[in-house]
Amino acid sequence: MSAEMPVVQGAVVAPGQVQPGIVTATVLQPVAVVIPQGAVVGTVVAVQGPGGPQSLAVPIGYKPGMTWNVAFPPAGHGQSLGLNGMAQLLGGADRIEINQKVNRLEAASCGCYEQKNRFEVKIGDKDGPVVMTGQEESEFCDRCCCKPHHSLLVHLSPAYDESNVLVTLERKGCECNRCCFSTKPGLGCCSCTEACTEEIVLHEGKVEGKPGELDTGKALAYIRQPMQCCAAGGCTPTLDISEPGDGSVPHAQVTGPTCFGGCSELCCENHFDYTTVGGAAASGTITHLRPRGCCETCKAACTDSDNYGVEFGPSATPADKANMIAASIVVDYMFFEIDQGMCHYDAGNQQIPVAAEPPMRA
């Protein structure tokens, strides 16, 4: 696919010259954008897309000379928000891949200097064009002291215009300045009380503020972890997804394997099924992908960066697709955000411990 893409050279733009605009994308065209010399992460570059010039910020993991495949819209279309906007970007795709980008500063510090996570949503596989990005927003102290159970927001936007946020994922988590009085002080423990269970709200458009205290007037869905400590199936990771107005009645469920993690991640894929309540078959599958090649194996062993494949079933609606993307990010924070990777340097004991056994998680 990349061989057929038009290749364009970005040009650095001064901050005052950036004129963000909202365009509508119905049929997207992949373009291979070459990162210009002198650009660093966050530098705004001007790119000539099919519908005219666009301003893009250089994402994490890219440096001058590298190519970033981005899907651009044609001219004359406006980008919708919420579920319709995501449906426009995904089109008729039956598979996407979500890649978590590696932050070099975080990797160099062995996870001690936790940075905001960033995700790229690609059509097809890892070589497909980027259609959406997810950018975490969280407090520095919460990330460093409470990771991976900290409070956060994740803004999902079109890759070609990150100022136009489609949906916001709100996660109520732990906060270092409030300790036991935070919204969810028991995340990571057995799901036996409200304080120990995950609760995520999917909002339409860009929502800002303190996680756990945001206005839910434009909520699209609620993703909750049921209290399973003493219930049947308590060893199976489960997320209930409900629509606004349904209360505690789930519209769909995400269920995963009982045992996973550790070094098994290097050779085994872990599947989480997305099933609508009452549905005869799964509406989709979220797969935590095993590394492909030496570079991805080193990344998986030494960092908490992960890749996910999401397959949409024929019956999946735009709401289901949005929920599966959000659930993939939730699954990453809940189960795969290992602080220092599977192997890291322990300065105190002067050794490199390795997570040898896959833990049981629920």
Side-chain angles (χ1 to χ4, degrees):
M1 178 183 292
S2 59
E4 300 176 356
M5 294 182 187
V7 178
V8 298
Q9 179 74 39
V12 176
V13 179
Q17 297 176 342
V18 178
Q19 299 294 331
I22 298 177
V23 295
T24 298
T26 52
V27 179
L28 300 179
Q29 178 178 339
V31 173
V33 178
V34 179
I35 306 299
Q37 294 298 317
V40 296
V41 173
T43 300
V44 178
V45 299
V47 176
Q48 184 64 39
Q54 298 285 340
S55 298
L56 302 179
V58 176
I60 294 172
Y62 292 88
K63 57 184 180 181
M66 295 181 65
T67 300
W68 185 29
N69 295 331
V70 186
F72 283 86
H77 293 277
Q79 178 67 58
S80 300
L81 296 180
L83 301 179
N84 290 335
M86 295 183 75
Q88 283 181 315
L89 293 174
L90 297 175
D94 56 6
R95 188 186 189 280
I96 62 171
E97 186 162 315
I98 302 175
N99 300 143
Q100 183 181 0
K101 304 303 294 181
V102 176
N103 187 285
R104 290 185 175 84
L105 180 59
E106 182 178 331
S109 65
C110 295
C112 296
Y113 193 73
E114 187 76 10
Q115 296 292 286
K116 299 176 183 178
N117 283 325
R118 181 182 174 86
F119 305 88
E120 288 186 346
V121 179
K122 302 178 180 179
I123 297 294
D125 55 22
K126 65 176 183 177
D127 296 321
V130 182
V131 293
M132 275 187 288
T133 61
Q135 179 62 54
E136 174 188 329
E137 296 297 335
S138 57
E139 295 292 335
F140 173 76
C141 290
D142 293 344
R143 290 197 307 275
C144 291
C145 300
C146 305
K147 62 178 183 180
H149 309 299
H150 56 290
S151 294
L152 56 87
L153 302 175
V154 176
H155 297 303
L156 287 167
S157 314
Y160 65 85
D161 183 9
E162 296 189 19
S163 65
N164 184 28
V165 177
L166 303 175
V167 297
T168 299
L169 188 153
E170 174 197 7
R171 187 218 199 170
K172 308 172 185 179
C174 301
E175 300 164 12
C176 65
N177 61 334
R178 298 172 67 180
C179 298
C180 295
F181 300 99
S182 61
T183 309
K184 295 284 184 177
L187 289 185
C189 302
C190 295
S191 55
C192 52
T193 68
E194 288 290 343
C196 303
T197 56
E198 289 280 355
E199 184 176 355
I200 294 90
V201 183
L202 197 61
H203 300 268
E204 181 180 61
K206 186 174 185 178
V207 180
E208 297 178 298
K210 191 174 185 62
E213 300 177 2
L214 302 184
D215 181 9
T216 58
K218 290 187 177 181
L220 299 174
Y222 298 90
I223 303 176
R224 297 183 177 95
Q225 181 185 14
M227 289 185 282
Q228 296 178 290
C229 185
C230 300
C235 293
T236 302
T238 303
L239 292 172
D240 288 339
I241 301 174
S242 59
E243 298 177 343
D246 286 348
S248 60
V249 179
H251 162 74
Q253 279 190 333
V254 174
T255 54
T258 298
C259 191
F260 56 93
C263 285
S264 68
E265 295 178 15
L266 295 178
C267 55
C268 299
E269 293 186 340
N270 301 292
H271 303 283
F272 295 76
D273 290 330
Y274 178 95
T275 308
T276 55
V277 175
S283 297
T285 303
I286 300 167
T287 302
H288 179 265
L289 301 172
R290 63 175 178 265
R292 296 157 294 195
C294 294
C295 291
E296 287 196 6
T297 300
C298 292
K299 184 180 76 169
C302 301
T303 73
D304 58 8
S305 180
D306 299 283
N307 299 318
Y308 298 87
V310 183
E311 295 184 7
F312 305 123
S315 62
T317 65
D320 290 329
K321 293 181 179 181
N323 290 338
M324 277 186 264
I325 293 174
S328 302
I329 296 174
V330 174
V331 164
D332 180 64
Y333 280 106
M334 288 180 65
F335 303 119
F336 296 102
E337 278 289 285
I338 303 174
D339 291 353
Q340 295 176 311
M342 282 176 277
C343 58
H344 60 280
Y345 179 66
D346 186 339
N349 297 318
Q350 296 185 339
Q351 61 182 1
I352 300 178
V354 177
E357 295 296 330
M360 181 180 292
R361 313 187 187 192

